[in-house]
């Protein structure tokens, strides 16, 4: 009898111990699971607070402002900024949307517009078309008013590309950063500056005490620009040529009469002329060239007038314009 009772008590003890062991195992498993979750939580937090680059965007600083763009920009739309289209030639950037003229892309941009669709004329962007192209970034122009830039900004990040000639380096650097071609942009800038050293030496030798002027024929008139506009920063700042008084006094584009121009009496004259800019007077250049007063200036008398040394549609204040004009300048001056 005692043996039977003892056996029953022993079996009951085993059942109780087994139950406790199961509880402990469950608690241990729960604790391990909690620890695993705890150890995983820092990673989840890091992911949530990852840098913009890791989340597919990045910040680019340009002329004192910051812009958020995709980590990889592939679909460019350029509206209003012929300057951006020029620099795109240098970096071989092919926008999906670009500026047209009379419904067509100018021949000068043929190398980069093979995949582009027209998004309107220079001062008349087609917002619906731009939206349909799903751009990664929109390059507008600093000439646009705030209302236009606001509408473009509602479609995608819009960066107003500067039309000011003195911002040429910042412009090309921006385009290099957007496209991932920073090194190529930097190399182009360095090469231009190196070429400028030689050009400056040649200019100092061959153009000492000479007046060098560049004009643009627009709406049938002879137009000059201030020292910081169009090609003038290259002539007077980069090359160090003397600034004629009339040019120094100009603030923006100014139209001169033939008499006013003759008073400057340049020794070397560069003329940029495009029929597109003289729609009502396609013969404007010939009319000016045949004018006796125009013929009286030194540059004309000495055969130092150079018409369209570079494409007349070039904006003058871009990296592309500066590089092209410097080459042409050296060719003309040394011959």
């Amino acid at each position: 009898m005692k043996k039977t009772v003892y056996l029953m008590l022993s079996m009951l003890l085993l059942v109780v111990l087994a139950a406790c062991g199961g509880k402990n195992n469950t608690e241990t498993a729960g604790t391990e699971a909690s620890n695993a979750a705890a150890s995983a939580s820092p990673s989840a937090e890091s992911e949530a607070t990852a840098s913009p680059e890791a989340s597919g965007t990045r910040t680019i600083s340009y002329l004192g402002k910051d812009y958020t763009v995709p980590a990889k920009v592939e679909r460019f739309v350029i509206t209003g900024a012929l300057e951006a289209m020029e620099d795109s030639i240098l970096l071989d950037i092919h926008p999906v949307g670009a500026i047209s003229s009379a419904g067509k892309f100018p021949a000068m941009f043929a190398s980069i517009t093979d995949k582009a669709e027209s998004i309107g004329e220079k001062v008349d962007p087609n917002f619906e078309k731009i939206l349909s192209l799903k751009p990664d970034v929109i390059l507008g122009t600093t000439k646009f008013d705030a209302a236009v830039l606001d509408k473009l900004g509602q479609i995608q990040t819009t960066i107003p590309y500067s039309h000011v000639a003195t911002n040429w380096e910042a412009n090309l650097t921006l385009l290099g950063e957007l496209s991932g071609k920073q090194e190529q942009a930097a190399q182009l800038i360095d090469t231009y500056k190196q070429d400028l050293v030689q050009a400056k030496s040649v200019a100092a030798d061959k153009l000492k005490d000479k007046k060098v002027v560049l004009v643009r024929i627009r709406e049938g008139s002879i137009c000059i620009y201030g020292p910081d506009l169009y090609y003038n920063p290259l002539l007077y700042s980069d090359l160090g040529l003397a600034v004629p008084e009339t040019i120094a006094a100009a603030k923006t584009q100014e139209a001169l009469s033939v008499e006013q121009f003759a008073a400057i009496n340049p020794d070397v004259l560069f003329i940029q002329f495009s029929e597109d800019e003289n729609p009502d007077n396609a013969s404007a250049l010939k009319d000016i060239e045949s004018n006796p007063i125009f013929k009286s200036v030194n540059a004309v008398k000495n055969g130092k007038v150079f018409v369209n040394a570079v494409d007349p549609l070039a904006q003058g204040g871009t990296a592309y314009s500066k590089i092209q004009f410097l080459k042409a300048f050296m060719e003309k001056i040394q011959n």
Side-chain angles (χ1 to χ4, degrees), residues 1 28 49 56 60 90 121 132 141 165 169 183 219 236 266 300 321:
M1 181 67 178
T28 301
T49 59
I60 284 183
L90 293 177
E121 305 294 296
S132 73
T141 174
E169 195 169 341
E183 291 184 6
E219 302 295 336
Y236 306 124
V300 178
S321 290

Side-chain angles (χ1 to χ4, degrees), residues 62-63 162-172 317:
Y62 168 66
L63 297 181
S162 179
H163 71 283
V164 179
T166 49
N167 288 330
W168 72 275
E169 195 169 341
N171 282 351
L172 190 63

Side-chain angles (χ1 to χ4, degrees), residues 178-215:
L178 287 170
S179 62
K181 297 181 178 181
Q182 298 95 321
E183 291 184 6
Q184 187 176 341
Q187 183 59 54
L188 286 164
I189 292 170
D190 288 344
T191 299
Y192 171 78
K193 291 180 177 180
Q194 291 170 14
D195 291 343
L196 191 60
V197 173
Q198 179 186 0
K200 193 170 183 177
S201 175
V202 171
D205 178 49
K206 293 185 173 292
L207 299 174
K208 185 179 180 180
D209 300 324
K210 302 289 185 182
K211 287 183 184 178
V212 180
V213 173
L214 185 145
V215 301

